[in-house]
Amino acid sequence: MKKLSLVLMAVLAFAFIGCNSWLDFPEPEPEPEPEPEPNVEAVITLEETSTTLHKGETYQINAECENPIAYSSENEFNATVSEEGLVTANFVGATVINLEAGEDAKTFEVTVEPVSNLYPEPEIEFGETKEAIIERFGQPVAETEDAIGYPNYSENSIMLMVMFNEEGLVESYAVIFATSFEEELETFVSERYMFVQEMDGMKIYVNALTPEEASLLVGIQVYEDDEAPFLMAVYGSMDEEPAEKSVNLKALVKALVK
């Protein structure tokens, strides 16, 4: 009996499969593939695009982007920037900080302003002729074979001196002050130029972060004279030794002031 039941179950199962072979069961449709996300370009966002600082001050650039941001300064003499976007003001002037992330780029302007405005720096080029200087500044009040002088060049100065070489071309120039301006003159020059060394009583500065890159030398020195001590800021090219320049200037200034 048990054997007959097993046989009947097998027959019924076969019959069921055979009877349902004519049914058309549709195949399941494949799930749709997800659409690719649009390629969104990473954009740098800046809260501010400029700042004004004094020498030695810092400023953190507030910038955001999905990609890492690379920072660089176009003129590191005026200001430098760290990998994190921290700006440090170096010397008076202006520069641009570049921000780059992927294909996007932004700029951030940095202006370094001075604390001291003791005098307007003379706009004189080395190699200019004496005639060109006289045309710009007028007839000199004092003159020697090698130099001309303009008393009361500015409100705080005693004299502007321009020195010439044997060909009559500008070799150097100097602004003369009373010794009471010594501290402020150092502030004025150090905000604008890089101190490098002191030589024979002259503090020497240059217009670059290293002497090798500099084209301009600025020296500060007090000329101790019992009759009329004075302070001078000397401008010259890097081609001339500052010690020799100092000796020449002392004699010229003494002659012109008297």
Side-chain angles (χ1 to χ4, degrees):
M1 193 68 182
K2 183 176 181 181
K3 186 176 180 180
L4 179 61
S5 298
L6 291 174
V7 173
L8 288 173
M9 288 177 65
V11 172
L12 289 173
F14 179 79
F16 177 80
I17 294 172
C19 291
N20 286 279
S21 62
W22 59 271
L23 295 176
D24 186 14
F25 289 101
E27 295 183 2
E29 295 183 2
E31 294 184 3
E33 295 182 4
E35 295 183 4
E37 295 183 3
N39 185 17
V40 179
E41 182 180 348
V43 176
I44 301 172
T45 57
L46 274 173
E47 291 187 11
E48 295 179 333
T49 58
S50 65
T51 190
T52 299
L53 304 170
H54 294 301
K55 174 182 170 64
E57 292 182 341
T58 60
Y59 178 88
Q60 178 62 55
I61 297 177
N62 295 312
E64 294 182 356
C65 184
E66 293 182 2
N67 293 336
I69 302 174
Y71 298 88
S72 62
S73 172
E74 291 188 0
N75 190 336
E76 293 191 341
F77 183 74
N78 298 123
T80 52
V81 62
S82 71
E83 294 180 356
E84 293 75 28
L86 181 65
V87 176
T88 300
N90 290 332
F91 299 97
V92 170
T95 187
V96 172
I97 305 298
N98 294 311
L99 291 75
E100 297 182 357
E103 297 183 358
D104 194 25
K106 293 288 190 299
T107 58
F108 186 89
E109 297 180 359
V110 179
T111 302
V112 183
E113 289 189 345
V115 173
S116 173
N117 290 291
L118 181 61
Y119 65 99
E121 292 187 282
E123 295 182 0
I124 297 175
E125 297 289 337
F126 302 118
E128 285 191 272
T129 64
K130 180 183 291 187
E131 291 74 18
I133 297 300
I134 293 175
E135 182 178 352
R136 186 178 316 144
F137 292 96
Q139 287 296 324
V141 176
E143 186 170 0
T144 68
E145 183 179 349
D146 301 316
I148 58 178
Y150 295 92
N152 303 315
Y153 160 69
S154 66
E155 180 181 356
N156 297 315
S157 66
I158 297 173
M159 177 181 290
L160 166 65
M161 288 183 53
V162 185
M163 284 67 72
F164 303 92
N165 59 21
E166 295 178 355
E167 288 76 32
L169 304 178
V170 174
E171 184 177 58
S172 57
Y173 52 93
V175 184
I176 313 302
F177 301 89
T179 55
S180 58
F181 286 103
E182 183 175 4
E183 184 176 345
E184 186 171 357
L185 180 59
E186 286 193 22
T187 298
F188 179 94
V189 173
S190 64
E191 287 185 306
R192 293 162 172 81
Y193 302 101
M194 178 83 172
F195 175 76
V196 288
Q197 64 176 323
E198 186 168 348
M199 180 184 296
D200 297 329
M202 175 180 280
K203 295 180 179 179
I204 301 170
Y205 301 77
V206 294
N207 65 337
L209 293 177
T210 64
E212 293 75 20
E213 299 173 319
S215 60
L216 176 68
L217 174 152
V218 183
I220 299 176
Q221 188 170 40
V222 174
Y223 176 47
E224 298 289 353
D225 183 83
D226 294 336
E227 297 179 6
F230 57 85
L231 173 68
M232 57 186 179
V234 187
Y235 294 76
S237 70
M238 291 294 292
D239 299 331
E240 187 176 355
E241 289 293 331
E244 295 179 5
K245 187 184 301 297
S246 174
V247 171
N248 295 335
L249 279 170
K250 289 176 183 177
L252 288 170
V253 173
K254 191 170 183 179
L256 287 172
V257 170
K258 291 184 176 181

